[in-house]
Amino acid sequence: MSQSTFDDDDLFGEAAEETRAEVREHLQAARAELPDADAVWETDADNVLGALNGLKSALDVGDAVDSVRSAKKAYVLGERADAFEDADDLKAEIEELESLVGDIEAAAEEVGSLTGTVPAIRGALQDAAEAGEAEEGDESEGDEE
């Protein structure tokens, strides 16, 4: 039968390893939620609006934001408790994912804006073309009189 240890240093060491593992699990979950690179790059759309809608859907980060946040919370807790001997790797991974998720969210916002703007521009261009055709028709009718 093994003897249980309740030594503070041993327990702290175990807690530190569990915290590190928790950070890694959250980072892995965040990566799993990121959009697929090919889905962001390739499209089967027939027109610009279809491509924009497809891109907007492809840029959905799902629960990656929550996972990065959870990783950062566990990291901050471990860091403030001075539980990590060397946590530069964790810090770098968190910052990298945080930046990537931020970039993806910003791109999704821009695509969302274009999704509303492009149809409005198309409509305005169609109206301008129709007005030009009507004007040309009026001029040619006046020439025949």
Side-chain angles (χ1 to χ4, degrees):
M1 177 178 223
S2 68
Q3 182 178 356
S4 295
T5 178
F6 297 106
D7 178 58
D8 287 352
D9 288 338
D10 289 342
L11 292 174
F12 187 78
E14 286 179 35
E17 284 304 312
E18 289 171 4
T19 302
R20 179 179 277 278
E22 180 182 355
V23 171
R24 290 240 180 258
E25 287 172 16
H26 289 302
L27 290 173
Q28 186 176 13
R31 281 189 199 93
E33 286 293 323
L34 292 176
D36 179 69
D38 289 339
V40 170
W41 189 251
E42 297 173 1
T43 185
D44 293 330
D46 294 331
N47 57 47
V48 172
L49 185 58
L52 288 171
N53 283 327
L55 180 56
K56 186 177 176 186
S57 294
L59 290 172
D60 181 14
V61 294
D63 292 333
V65 172
D66 293 335
S67 294
V68 171
R69 189 171 195 280
S70 294
K72 194 167 185 175
K73 282 188 336 188
Y75 171 80
V76 168
L77 181 64
E79 186 69 15
R80 288 197 180 159
D82 202 23
F84 305 130
E85 288 181 24
D86 180 24
D88 291 341
D89 60 329
L90 293 177
K91 183 178 182 181
E93 286 182 58
I94 290 169
E95 289 172 351
E96 178 183 320
L97 275 173
E98 198 173 24
S99 176
L100 179 57
V101 168
D103 289 348
I104 293 169
E105 287 182 318
E109 285 180 26
E110 289 181 34
V111 170
S113 176
L114 284 173
T115 301
T117 303
V118 169
I121 291 172
R122 179 178 184 235
L125 289 171
Q126 287 174 329
D127 291 347
E130 288 172 8
E133 289 171 8
E135 202 171 281
E136 285 178 15
D138 289 344
E139 286 178 11
S140 57
E141 286 178 17
D143 291 341
E144 293 176 8
E145 290 178 19

